[in-house]
Amino acid sequence: MTGVRALALAVIRRPGTGQLFVDEVVEPGTGRTFHRPAGGGIEFGERAAETLVRELAEEYGLAVVVGRQLGALENHFTYAGRAGHEIALVHEAELADPAEYERDRRPCLDQPHVTGVWRSATEDAIPLYPDGLADLL
């Protein structure tokens, strides 16, 4: 990856449990598993809230209502052997259809190595990225 990538991440909490909806990613080549809030790359001219609406629909077929921005995080990482650098705009969001909160796991429609799951607030066995996210929550 070259340059800095801008992305938007959604903090979606499951009512009653406070669990966080995350992408469970299995890194190709290494098999390493990690979690990251659902979202994706901001396209030129797109606002972060628009990115979240588009990405959650594309990846999971979910409609979301985007709330306030919680903050911005800078993330330096290595993925699939390549260095990466991202600036993540983190927003609160809710699922538009309350029935969608009931489903425990859902495959990502455009990335076969990603599954949407609910992560407990106390989960620590699987890393949560980007760094600094826990402080925003």
Short mmCIF file of all heavy atoms in Angstrom, two decimals, residues 26-90:
data_model
loop_
_atom_site.label_atom_id
_atom_site.label_comp_id
_atom_site.label_asym_id
_atom_site.label_seq_id
_atom_site.Cartn_x
_atom_site.Cartn_y
_atom_site.Cartn_z
N VAL A 26 -9.66 -12.91 8.81
CA VAL A 26 -8.61 -13.91 8.83
C VAL A 26 -7.62 -13.50 7.73
O VAL A 26 -7.95 -13.52 6.55
CB VAL A 26 -9.16 -15.33 8.56
CG1 VAL A 26 -8.02 -16.34 8.55
CG2 VAL A 26 -10.20 -15.69 9.61
N GLU A 27 -6.44 -13.08 8.17
CA GLU A 27 -5.44 -12.54 7.25
C GLU A 27 -4.95 -13.61 6.28
O GLU A 27 -4.48 -14.67 6.72
CB GLU A 27 -4.26 -11.97 8.04
CG GLU A 27 -3.23 -11.29 7.18
CD GLU A 27 -2.13 -10.65 8.01
OE1 GLU A 27 -2.19 -10.68 9.26
OE2 GLU A 27 -1.19 -10.13 7.41
N PRO A 28 -5.09 -13.36 4.98
CA PRO A 28 -4.60 -14.33 4.00
C PRO A 28 -3.10 -14.59 4.17
O PRO A 28 -2.33 -13.67 4.44
CB PRO A 28 -4.88 -13.67 2.65
CG PRO A 28 -5.94 -12.65 2.94
CD PRO A 28 -5.69 -12.20 4.34
N GLY A 29 -2.72 -15.83 4.05
CA GLY A 29 -1.31 -16.18 4.15
C GLY A 29 -0.85 -16.52 5.55
O GLY A 29 -0.09 -17.46 5.74
N THR A 30 -1.32 -15.78 6.56
CA THR A 30 -0.86 -16.02 7.93
C THR A 30 -1.91 -16.75 8.76
O THR A 30 -1.58 -17.39 9.75
CB THR A 30 -0.52 -14.70 8.66
OG1 THR A 30 -1.73 -13.96 8.87
CG2 THR A 30 0.48 -13.87 7.88
N GLY A 31 -3.18 -16.58 8.43
CA GLY A 31 -4.26 -17.17 9.22
C GLY A 31 -4.54 -16.41 10.51
O GLY A 31 -5.39 -16.80 11.29
N ARG A 32 -3.83 -15.30 10.72
CA ARG A 32 -4.02 -14.48 11.93
C ARG A 32 -5.43 -13.88 11.90
O ARG A 32 -5.88 -13.39 10.88
CB ARG A 32 -2.97 -13.37 11.94
CG ARG A 32 -3.02 -12.46 13.14
CD ARG A 32 -1.88 -11.44 13.07
NE ARG A 32 -2.08 -10.48 12.02
CZ ARG A 32 -2.46 -9.22 12.23
NH1 ARG A 32 -2.67 -8.77 13.44
NH2 ARG A 32 -2.63 -8.40 11.20
N THR A 33 -6.12 -13.94 13.03
CA THR A 33 -7.47 -13.40 13.14
C THR A 33 -7.45 -12.11 13.96
O THR A 33 -6.77 -12.04 14.99
CB THR A 33 -8.41 -14.42 13.81
OG1 THR A 33 -8.43 -15.61 13.00
CG2 THR A 33 -9.82 -13.89 13.95
N PHE A 34 -8.20 -11.11 13.50
CA PHE A 34 -8.36 -9.87 14.26
C PHE A 34 -9.73 -9.29 13.99
O PHE A 34 -10.43 -9.69 13.06
CB PHE A 34 -7.24 -8.87 13.96
CG PHE A 34 -7.21 -8.36 12.54
CD1 PHE A 34 -7.92 -7.23 12.16
CD2 PHE A 34 -6.44 -9.00 11.59
CE1 PHE A 34 -7.89 -6.77 10.86
CE2 PHE A 34 -6.39 -8.54 10.28
CZ PHE A 34 -7.12 -7.42 9.91
N HIS A 35 -10.13 -8.34 14.82
CA HIS A 35 -11.41 -7.64 14.69
C HIS A 35 -11.17 -6.17 14.37
O HIS A 35 -10.19 -5.58 14.83
CB HIS A 35 -12.21 -7.74 15.99
CG HIS A 35 -12.74 -9.10 16.27
ND1 HIS A 35 -13.15 -9.49 17.52
CD2 HIS A 35 -12.97 -10.16 15.46
CE1 HIS A 35 -13.60 -10.74 17.46
NE2 HIS A 35 -13.49 -11.17 16.22
N ARG A 36 -12.11 -5.61 13.61
CA ARG A 36 -12.12 -4.18 13.31
C ARG A 36 -13.58 -3.79 13.12
O ARG A 36 -14.34 -4.53 12.51
CB ARG A 36 -11.35 -3.91 12.02
CG ARG A 36 -11.20 -2.43 11.71
CD ARG A 36 -10.73 -2.20 10.30
NE ARG A 36 -11.90 -2.28 9.44
CZ ARG A 36 -11.91 -2.00 8.16
NH1 ARG A 36 -10.80 -1.68 7.54
NH2 ARG A 36 -13.02 -2.06 7.45
N PRO A 37 -14.00 -2.62 13.62
CA PRO A 37 -15.38 -2.21 13.35
C PRO A 37 -15.66 -2.22 11.86
O PRO A 37 -14.77 -1.93 11.05
CB PRO A 37 -15.45 -0.79 13.92
CG PRO A 37 -14.40 -0.75 14.97
CD PRO A 37 -13.29 -1.63 14.43
N ALA A 38 -16.89 -2.54 11.49
CA ALA A 38 -17.27 -2.57 10.08
C ALA A 38 -17.16 -1.17 9.49
O ALA A 38 -17.35 -0.16 10.17
CB ALA A 38 -18.69 -3.11 9.94
N GLY A 39 -16.85 -1.13 8.22
CA GLY A 39 -16.72 0.13 7.49
C GLY A 39 -15.83 -0.08 6.29
O GLY A 39 -15.70 -1.21 5.80
N GLY A 40 -15.21 0.99 5.83
CA GLY A 40 -14.33 0.85 4.67
C GLY A 40 -13.81 2.17 4.17
O GLY A 40 -13.98 3.21 4.81
N GLY A 41 -13.18 2.10 3.01
CA GLY A 41 -12.50 3.25 2.43
C GLY A 41 -13.45 4.34 1.98
O GLY A 41 -14.47 4.08 1.34
N ILE A 42 -13.08 5.57 2.30
CA ILE A 42 -13.84 6.74 1.89
C ILE A 42 -13.46 7.07 0.45
O ILE A 42 -12.28 7.23 0.14
CB ILE A 42 -13.55 7.95 2.80
CG1 ILE A 42 -13.94 7.63 4.24
CG2 ILE A 42 -14.28 9.20 2.30
CD1 ILE A 42 -13.51 8.67 5.27
N GLU A 43 -14.45 7.16 -0.42
CA GLU A 43 -14.20 7.52 -1.81
C GLU A 43 -14.12 9.03 -1.95
O GLU A 43 -14.71 9.78 -1.15
CB GLU A 43 -15.31 6.95 -2.70
CG GLU A 43 -15.30 5.43 -2.73
CD GLU A 43 -16.40 4.84 -3.59
OE1 GLU A 43 -17.21 5.59 -4.16
OE2 GLU A 43 -16.43 3.60 -3.69
N PHE A 44 -13.40 9.50 -2.97
CA PHE A 44 -13.23 10.93 -3.19
C PHE A 44 -14.61 11.61 -3.28
O PHE A 44 -15.49 11.15 -3.98
CB PHE A 44 -12.44 11.20 -4.47
CG PHE A 44 -12.19 12.66 -4.70
CD1 PHE A 44 -11.18 13.32 -4.01
CD2 PHE A 44 -12.99 13.39 -5.56
CE1 PHE A 44 -10.96 14.67 -4.20
CE2 PHE A 44 -12.78 14.74 -5.75
CZ PHE A 44 -11.76 15.38 -5.07
N GLY A 45 -14.77 12.70 -2.52
CA GLY A 45 -16.01 13.46 -2.53
C GLY A 45 -17.10 12.92 -1.62
O GLY A 45 -18.16 13.52 -1.48
N GLU A 46 -16.84 11.80 -0.98
CA GLU A 46 -17.83 11.15 -0.12
C GLU A 46 -17.58 11.55 1.33
O GLU A 46 -16.45 11.62 1.78
CB GLU A 46 -17.65 9.64 -0.29
CG GLU A 46 -18.69 8.77 0.35
CD GLU A 46 -18.48 7.30 0.03
OE1 GLU A 46 -17.36 6.78 0.25
OE2 GLU A 46 -19.42 6.67 -0.46
N ARG A 47 -18.63 11.78 2.07
CA ARG A 47 -18.52 12.03 3.50
C ARG A 47 -18.43 10.69 4.23
O ARG A 47 -18.94 9.67 3.75
CB ARG A 47 -19.71 12.83 4.01
CG ARG A 47 -19.78 14.21 3.38
CD ARG A 47 -20.72 15.11 4.15
NE ARG A 47 -20.75 16.42 3.58
CZ ARG A 47 -19.86 17.39 3.84
NH1 ARG A 47 -18.85 17.14 4.66
NH2 ARG A 47 -19.96 18.58 3.30
N ALA A 48 -17.81 10.69 5.40
CA ALA A 48 -17.63 9.45 6.16
C ALA A 48 -18.96 8.76 6.44
O ALA A 48 -19.07 7.54 6.33
CB ALA A 48 -16.87 9.73 7.45
N ALA A 49 -19.99 9.53 6.78
CA ALA A 49 -21.30 8.93 7.05
C ALA A 49 -21.85 8.25 5.81
O ALA A 49 -22.46 7.17 5.89
CB ALA A 49 -22.28 9.99 7.56
N GLU A 50 -21.64 8.85 4.64
CA GLU A 50 -22.08 8.23 3.38
C GLU A 50 -21.31 6.94 3.11
O GLU A 50 -21.88 5.96 2.62
CB GLU A 50 -21.88 9.21 2.22
CG GLU A 50 -22.74 10.46 2.33
CD GLU A 50 -22.32 11.56 1.38
OE1 GLU A 50 -21.17 11.59 0.91
OE2 GLU A 50 -23.17 12.42 1.10
N THR A 51 -20.03 6.95 3.45
CA THR A 51 -19.21 5.74 3.30
C THR A 51 -19.79 4.60 4.13
O THR A 51 -19.90 3.47 3.65
CB THR A 51 -17.76 6.01 3.72
OG1 THR A 51 -17.21 7.01 2.87
CG2 THR A 51 -16.91 4.75 3.67
N LEU A 52 -20.17 4.90 5.36
CA LEU A 52 -20.69 3.84 6.24
C LEU A 52 -21.99 3.27 5.70
O LEU A 52 -22.19 2.05 5.71
CB LEU A 52 -20.86 4.37 7.65
CG LEU A 52 -19.54 4.70 8.35
CD1 LEU A 52 -19.80 5.36 9.69
CD2 LEU A 52 -18.67 3.47 8.50
N VAL A 53 -22.87 4.12 5.21
CA VAL A 53 -24.13 3.64 4.63
C VAL A 53 -23.83 2.74 3.44
O VAL A 53 -24.38 1.63 3.32
CB VAL A 53 -25.04 4.82 4.23
CG1 VAL A 53 -26.22 4.36 3.38
CG2 VAL A 53 -25.51 5.58 5.47
N ARG A 54 -22.93 3.16 2.56
CA ARG A 54 -22.59 2.39 1.37
C ARG A 54 -21.89 1.08 1.72
O ARG A 54 -22.25 0.01 1.24
CB ARG A 54 -21.69 3.23 0.44
CG ARG A 54 -21.22 2.47 -0.80
CD ARG A 54 -20.30 3.32 -1.68
NE ARG A 54 -19.18 3.92 -0.98
CZ ARG A 54 -18.07 3.27 -0.62
NH1 ARG A 54 -17.94 1.97 -0.86
NH2 ARG A 54 -17.09 3.90 0.00
N GLU A 55 -20.88 1.15 2.57
CA GLU A 55 -20.08 -0.03 2.91
C GLU A 55 -20.90 -1.10 3.63
O GLU A 55 -20.77 -2.29 3.32
CB GLU A 55 -18.86 0.35 3.74
CG GLU A 55 -17.78 1.07 2.96
CD GLU A 55 -16.96 0.17 2.06
OE1 GLU A 55 -17.07 -1.08 2.15
OE2 GLU A 55 -16.20 0.71 1.24
N LEU A 56 -21.71 -0.72 4.60
CA LEU A 56 -22.51 -1.72 5.31
C LEU A 56 -23.54 -2.37 4.39
O LEU A 56 -23.82 -3.56 4.52
CB LEU A 56 -23.18 -1.10 6.54
CG LEU A 56 -22.38 -1.09 7.85
CD1 LEU A 56 -22.24 -2.44 8.45
CD2 LEU A 56 -21.06 -0.39 7.75
N ALA A 57 -24.06 -1.62 3.43
CA ALA A 57 -24.98 -2.20 2.45
C ALA A 57 -24.24 -3.14 1.52
O ALA A 57 -24.71 -4.26 1.26
CB ALA A 57 -25.67 -1.09 1.66
N GLU A 58 -23.07 -2.73 1.02
CA GLU A 58 -22.30 -3.56 0.09
C GLU A 58 -21.78 -4.83 0.77
O GLU A 58 -21.82 -5.91 0.17
CB GLU A 58 -21.11 -2.79 -0.46
CG GLU A 58 -21.43 -1.71 -1.46
CD GLU A 58 -20.21 -0.90 -1.87
OE1 GLU A 58 -19.09 -1.16 -1.40
OE2 GLU A 58 -20.40 0.03 -2.67
N GLU A 59 -21.27 -4.69 1.98
CA GLU A 59 -20.60 -5.81 2.63
C GLU A 59 -21.55 -6.77 3.33
O GLU A 59 -21.30 -7.97 3.38
CB GLU A 59 -19.55 -5.29 3.62
CG GLU A 59 -18.41 -4.58 2.90
CD GLU A 59 -17.35 -4.03 3.84
OE1 GLU A 59 -17.56 -4.05 5.07
OE2 GLU A 59 -16.32 -3.57 3.32
N TYR A 60 -22.63 -6.23 3.91
CA TYR A 60 -23.51 -7.08 4.72
C TYR A 60 -24.99 -6.97 4.38
O TYR A 60 -25.82 -7.63 5.01
CB TYR A 60 -23.31 -6.77 6.21
CG TYR A 60 -21.92 -7.12 6.69
CD1 TYR A 60 -21.00 -6.12 6.98
CD2 TYR A 60 -21.52 -8.44 6.81
CE1 TYR A 60 -19.71 -6.44 7.40
CE2 TYR A 60 -20.25 -8.77 7.23
CZ TYR A 60 -19.35 -7.77 7.52
OH TYR A 60 -18.08 -8.09 7.94
N GLY A 61 -25.35 -6.14 3.42
CA GLY A 61 -26.75 -5.96 3.09
C GLY A 61 -27.52 -5.27 4.20
O GLY A 61 -28.73 -5.45 4.33
N LEU A 62 -26.83 -4.48 5.02
CA LEU A 62 -27.44 -3.82 6.17
C LEU A 62 -27.67 -2.33 5.90
O LEU A 62 -26.81 -1.66 5.33
CB LEU A 62 -26.54 -3.94 7.40
CG LEU A 62 -26.37 -5.34 7.97
CD1 LEU A 62 -25.28 -5.36 9.04
CD2 LEU A 62 -27.70 -5.83 8.55
N ALA A 63 -28.81 -1.84 6.35
CA ALA A 63 -29.07 -0.40 6.34
C ALA A 63 -28.70 0.13 7.72
O ALA A 63 -29.03 -0.49 8.74
CB ALA A 63 -30.55 -0.12 6.05
N VAL A 64 -27.98 1.26 7.75
CA VAL A 64 -27.57 1.85 9.03
C VAL A 64 -27.97 3.31 9.10
O VAL A 64 -28.11 3.98 8.07
CB VAL A 64 -26.05 1.71 9.27
CG1 VAL A 64 -25.63 0.27 9.40
CG2 VAL A 64 -25.25 2.42 8.20
N VAL A 65 -28.13 3.77 10.34
CA VAL A 65 -28.35 5.18 10.63
C VAL A 65 -27.09 5.65 11.35
O VAL A 65 -26.75 5.13 12.42
CB VAL A 65 -29.60 5.38 11.51
CG1 VAL A 65 -29.77 6.85 11.86
CG2 VAL A 65 -30.83 4.81 10.83
N VAL A 66 -26.39 6.60 10.75
CA VAL A 66 -25.10 7.04 11.28
C VAL A 66 -25.32 8.20 12.25
O VAL A 66 -26.05 9.14 11.96
CB VAL A 66 -24.15 7.45 10.14
CG1 VAL A 66 -22.81 7.91 10.70
CG2 VAL A 66 -23.96 6.29 9.18
N GLY A 67 -24.66 8.10 13.40
CA GLY A 67 -24.74 9.13 14.44
C GLY A 67 -23.50 10.00 14.47
O GLY A 67 -22.83 10.19 13.44
N ARG A 68 -23.16 10.46 15.64
CA ARG A 68 -22.07 11.43 15.79
C ARG A 68 -20.70 10.78 15.60
O ARG A 68 -20.52 9.58 15.81
CB ARG A 68 -22.14 12.10 17.15
CG ARG A 68 -21.83 11.19 18.31
CD ARG A 68 -22.02 11.91 19.66
NE ARG A 68 -21.74 10.99 20.74
CZ ARG A 68 -20.58 10.90 21.38
NH1 ARG A 68 -19.58 11.69 21.05
NH2 ARG A 68 -20.42 10.03 22.35
N GLN A 69 -19.75 11.62 15.24
CA GLN A 69 -18.36 11.16 15.11
C GLN A 69 -17.75 11.08 16.50
O GLN A 69 -17.84 12.03 17.28
CB GLN A 69 -17.55 12.10 14.23
CG GLN A 69 -16.13 11.60 14.02
CD GLN A 69 -15.33 12.48 13.06
OE1 GLN A 69 -15.88 13.02 12.12
NE2 GLN A 69 -14.04 12.59 13.32
N LEU A 70 -17.14 9.94 16.80
CA LEU A 70 -16.51 9.73 18.10
C LEU A 70 -15.07 10.23 18.12
O LEU A 70 -14.54 10.58 19.16
CB LEU A 70 -16.53 8.25 18.47
CG LEU A 70 -17.92 7.63 18.64
CD1 LEU A 70 -17.80 6.13 18.86
CD2 LEU A 70 -18.64 8.29 19.80
N GLY A 71 -14.42 10.21 16.96
CA GLY A 71 -13.03 10.64 16.89
C GLY A 71 -12.37 10.16 15.63
O GLY A 71 -13.00 9.59 14.74
N ALA A 72 -11.07 10.41 15.57
CA ALA A 72 -10.24 9.97 14.44
C ALA A 72 -9.03 9.25 15.00
O ALA A 72 -8.49 9.64 16.04
CB ALA A 72 -9.82 11.17 13.60
N LEU A 73 -8.62 8.19 14.31
CA LEU A 73 -7.47 7.40 14.74
C LEU A 73 -6.50 7.24 13.59
O LEU A 73 -6.91 7.07 12.44
CB LEU A 73 -7.92 6.02 15.22
CG LEU A 73 -8.83 5.98 16.44
CD1 LEU A 73 -9.39 4.59 16.64
CD2 LEU A 73 -8.07 6.44 17.67
N GLU A 74 -5.21 7.27 13.91
CA GLU A 74 -4.18 6.99 12.93
C GLU A 74 -3.66 5.59 13.19
O GLU A 74 -3.36 5.24 14.32
CB GLU A 74 -3.05 8.02 13.05
CG GLU A 74 -1.99 7.85 11.99
CD GLU A 74 -0.96 8.98 12.00
OE1 GLU A 74 -0.87 9.69 13.02
OE2 GLU A 74 -0.26 9.13 11.00
N ASN A 75 -3.56 4.81 12.13
CA ASN A 75 -3.20 3.40 12.28
C ASN A 75 -2.06 3.05 11.33
O ASN A 75 -2.17 3.22 10.12
CB ASN A 75 -4.43 2.54 11.96
CG ASN A 75 -4.27 1.09 12.32
OD1 ASN A 75 -3.53 0.74 13.23
ND2 ASN A 75 -4.96 0.24 11.62
N HIS A 76 -0.95 2.57 11.90
CA HIS A 76 0.18 2.01 11.12
C HIS A 76 0.15 0.52 11.36
O HIS A 76 0.06 0.07 12.51
CB HIS A 76 1.52 2.58 11.61
CG HIS A 76 1.66 4.04 11.34
ND1 HIS A 76 2.26 4.53 10.21
CD2 HIS A 76 1.28 5.11 12.06
CE1 HIS A 76 2.25 5.84 10.24
NE2 HIS A 76 1.66 6.24 11.36
N PHE A 77 0.22 -0.29 10.31
CA PHE A 77 0.07 -1.73 10.47
C PHE A 77 0.77 -2.47 9.33
O PHE A 77 1.17 -1.88 8.34
CB PHE A 77 -1.42 -2.10 10.49
CG PHE A 77 -2.14 -1.72 9.22
CD1 PHE A 77 -2.30 -2.63 8.19
CD2 PHE A 77 -2.63 -0.44 9.06
CE1 PHE A 77 -2.95 -2.27 7.02
CE2 PHE A 77 -3.29 -0.07 7.89
CZ PHE A 77 -3.44 -1.00 6.87
N THR A 78 0.87 -3.78 9.51
CA THR A 78 1.33 -4.67 8.44
C THR A 78 0.23 -5.69 8.21
O THR A 78 -0.27 -6.30 9.17
CB THR A 78 2.63 -5.38 8.83
OG1 THR A 78 3.63 -4.39 9.09
CG2 THR A 78 3.11 -6.29 7.71
N TYR A 79 -0.17 -5.85 6.95
CA TYR A 79 -1.23 -6.80 6.59
C TYR A 79 -0.78 -7.52 5.32
O TYR A 79 -0.41 -6.89 4.34
CB TYR A 79 -2.55 -6.06 6.34
CG TYR A 79 -3.68 -6.96 5.95
CD1 TYR A 79 -4.36 -7.70 6.90
CD2 TYR A 79 -4.07 -7.07 4.62
CE1 TYR A 79 -5.41 -8.54 6.55
CE2 TYR A 79 -5.12 -7.92 4.25
CZ TYR A 79 -5.78 -8.63 5.22
OH TYR A 79 -6.81 -9.47 4.87
N ALA A 80 -0.81 -8.84 5.38
CA ALA A 80 -0.39 -9.67 4.25
C ALA A 80 1.01 -9.29 3.78
O ALA A 80 1.29 -9.24 2.58
CB ALA A 80 -1.40 -9.60 3.11
N GLY A 81 1.89 -8.97 4.75
CA GLY A 81 3.27 -8.67 4.44
C GLY A 81 3.54 -7.27 3.92
O GLY A 81 4.68 -6.94 3.58
N ARG A 82 2.51 -6.41 3.89
CA ARG A 82 2.70 -5.06 3.36
C ARG A 82 2.37 -4.02 4.43
O ARG A 82 1.41 -4.17 5.18
CB ARG A 82 1.79 -4.84 2.15
CG ARG A 82 2.10 -5.84 1.03
CD ARG A 82 1.27 -5.61 -0.18
NE ARG A 82 1.69 -4.34 -0.80
CZ ARG A 82 1.05 -3.79 -1.82
NH1 ARG A 82 -0.02 -4.34 -2.31
NH2 ARG A 82 1.51 -2.66 -2.34
N ALA A 83 3.18 -2.97 4.46
CA ALA A 83 2.94 -1.88 5.42
C ALA A 83 1.73 -1.07 4.98
O ALA A 83 1.50 -0.85 3.79
CB ALA A 83 4.17 -0.98 5.51
N GLY A 84 0.95 -0.63 5.97
CA GLY A 84 -0.21 0.20 5.70
C GLY A 84 -0.28 1.38 6.65
O GLY A 84 0.31 1.37 7.73
N HIS A 85 -1.00 2.42 6.22
CA HIS A 85 -1.17 3.63 7.01
C HIS A 85 -2.57 4.14 6.73
O HIS A 85 -2.93 4.39 5.58
CB HIS A 85 -0.11 4.66 6.61
CG HIS A 85 -0.11 5.90 7.45
ND1 HIS A 85 0.70 6.96 7.15
CD2 HIS A 85 -0.80 6.25 8.56
CE1 HIS A 85 0.52 7.92 8.04
NE2 HIS A 85 -0.39 7.51 8.90
N GLU A 86 -3.39 4.26 7.78
CA GLU A 86 -4.77 4.69 7.63
C GLU A 86 -5.11 5.79 8.62
O GLU A 86 -4.57 5.83 9.72
CB GLU A 86 -5.74 3.53 7.91
CG GLU A 86 -5.60 2.34 7.00
CD GLU A 86 -6.44 1.16 7.44
OE1 GLU A 86 -6.67 0.97 8.66
OE2 GLU A 86 -6.85 0.41 6.54
N ILE A 87 -6.03 6.64 8.20
CA ILE A 87 -6.68 7.59 9.09
C ILE A 87 -8.14 7.15 9.12
O ILE A 87 -8.81 7.10 8.09
CB ILE A 87 -6.59 9.04 8.60
CG1 ILE A 87 -5.14 9.46 8.39
CG2 ILE A 87 -7.34 9.98 9.54
CD1 ILE A 87 -4.29 9.48 9.64
N ALA A 88 -8.63 6.78 10.31
CA ALA A 88 -9.99 6.25 10.45
C ALA A 88 -10.87 7.26 11.18
O ALA A 88 -10.54 7.70 12.28
CB ALA A 88 -9.95 4.94 11.22
N LEU A 89 -11.99 7.62 10.55
CA LEU A 89 -13.01 8.44 11.18
C LEU A 89 -14.04 7.48 11.77
O LEU A 89 -14.62 6.67 11.04
CB LEU A 89 -13.65 9.38 10.17
CG LEU A 89 -12.68 10.32 9.45
CD1 LEU A 89 -13.42 11.19 8.45
CD2 LEU A 89 -11.90 11.17 10.45
N VAL A 90 -14.22 7.55 13.08
CA VAL A 90 -15.04 6.59 13.81
C VAL A 90 -16.36 7.26 14.21
O VAL A 90 -16.35 8.31 14.85
CB VAL A 90 -14.30 6.06 15.06
CG1 VAL A 90 -15.13 5.02 15.78
CG2 VAL A 90 -12.93 5.51 14.67
#
